[in-house]
Amino acid sequence: CFPHIVNLACKATLAAITDLNYVDDTVEAYRDYEPNHYGKDCIATIRSLVNSIRNSNIKKQRFSEYVHEHFPQDYQLLRDVATRWSSTLLMINRVLKLKDAIEDITHDNEFKDLHKFQLSEGDWELLNDYQQVLQVPHAFQDVLGAETTPTLCYSIPAYSAFINMWEDLKDDHIEWERIIQPGLDKIEEYQARLIDTPAYVVAMGETSIFQ
């Protein structure tokens, strides 16, 4: 139940920061995002960059060479998928880790078609912001995943902590409200239904007793 609500909340948040039409490349009408300097979609931009590199053996080889200039081991770019919101966070994490190699290849004159994917410092800062926002529900997901059979008494405190952390981030970073609030609104919508569920009420009581 809680993972489902968090999933819906995260999709609402993702919809506030990127055009989800560019996520699912299995649909017939799919096309890669073409970035521009006016209202650039940073997540769609890095997704298209990942696609462009991964779909070309020459680009993959050159990118691997750039990665080895900065790391002792090879790292591959990750591509998110429509069915797992957390895959977008993993894609962002990897892109941020490989920032220097990405800067190298997007400024490489041998691959001028990649120049359009160059990111400004403001774009990189936005990706850092998105990473921090999405890391909160991802941590909640990890907590529940660590339990073989998570119970309501165990899940509710973690769920509440997740909501509180998003609220705190929203208060501390006013500019993040536009991306966090849609997720919180989705949570509030489903939480209203949970309150009327007997199992939830009992679990809340048990949670209070053991705190």
Side-chain angles (χ1 to χ4, degrees):
C1 181
F2 289 115
H4 176 64
I5 296 174
V6 172
N7 180 57
L8 294 175
C10 289
K11 286 186 174 180
T13 289
L14 282 175
I17 60 180
T18 187
D19 188 338
L20 297 181
N21 289 320
Y22 293 105
V23 179
D24 190 359
D25 59 358
T26 63
V27 298
E28 186 176 348
Y30 177 82
R31 59 185 176 83
D32 272 334
Y33 173 77
E34 288 289 330
N36 57 70
H37 296 293
Y38 304 98
K40 181 192 292 182
D41 185 329
C42 293
I43 292 180
T45 296
I46 63 173
R47 183 183 300 113
S48 292
L49 171 64
V50 170
N51 284 342
S52 183
I53 293 175
R54 287 176 47 154
N55 292 336
S56 165
N57 288 332
I58 295 176
K59 291 174 183 174
K60 278 195 295 187
Q61 178 60 36
R62 177 59 63 85
F63 185 72
S64 179
E65 292 169 1
Y66 281 133
V67 170
H68 279 291
E69 290 181 11
H70 302 284
F71 297 94
Q73 66 188 84
D74 197 16
Y75 287 100
Q76 301 295 319
L77 290 169
L78 303 178
R79 168 69 158 84
D80 60 348
V81 294
T83 53
R84 291 179 57 235
W85 70 264
S86 57
S87 65
T88 301
L89 172 63
L90 298 179
M91 178 178 70
I92 293 172
N93 288 346
R94 184 57 57 87
V95 163
L96 290 172
K97 183 181 184 70
L98 302 179
K99 176 182 177 180
D100 291 334
I102 288 172
E103 289 283 280
D104 290 338
I105 199 167
T106 55
H107 287 82
D108 190 328
N109 285 328
E110 185 177 340
F111 304 108
K112 291 185 177 180
D113 60 311
L114 297 182
H115 287 190
K116 61 188 175 184
F117 299 121
Q118 293 173 8
L119 298 173
S120 67
E121 279 307 309
D123 295 331
W124 286 109
E125 288 173 7
L126 274 178
L127 289 175
N128 269 298
D129 291 348
Y130 299 156
Q131 179 191 49
Q132 291 184 61
V133 170
L134 294 174
Q135 189 61 49
V136 174
H138 185 67
F140 167 77
Q141 193 176 61
D142 283 347
V143 167
L144 289 194
E147 290 293 302
T148 306
T149 54
T151 62
L152 274 177
C153 291
Y154 183 84
S155 301
I156 288 174
Y159 177 69
S160 297
F162 150 57
I163 295 173
N164 290 336
M165 289 181 71
W166 254 10
E167 290 279 8
D168 289 343
L169 282 178
K170 188 186 69 169
D171 293 340
D172 293 341
H173 304 273
I174 302 300
E175 68 277 15
W176 293 1
E177 181 175 2
R178 69 174 185 85
I179 60 179
I180 294 177
Q181 193 59 52
L184 290 174
D185 289 343
K186 184 63 68 173
I187 289 171
E188 184 177 353
E189 174 188 337
Y190 276 80
Q191 196 157 289
R193 304 178 190 180
L194 279 178
I195 292 174
D196 295 327
T197 304
Y200 179 84
V201 175
V202 171
M204 283 295 290
E206 292 179 356
T207 300
S208 300
I209 291 172
F210 290 107
Q211 282 181 341

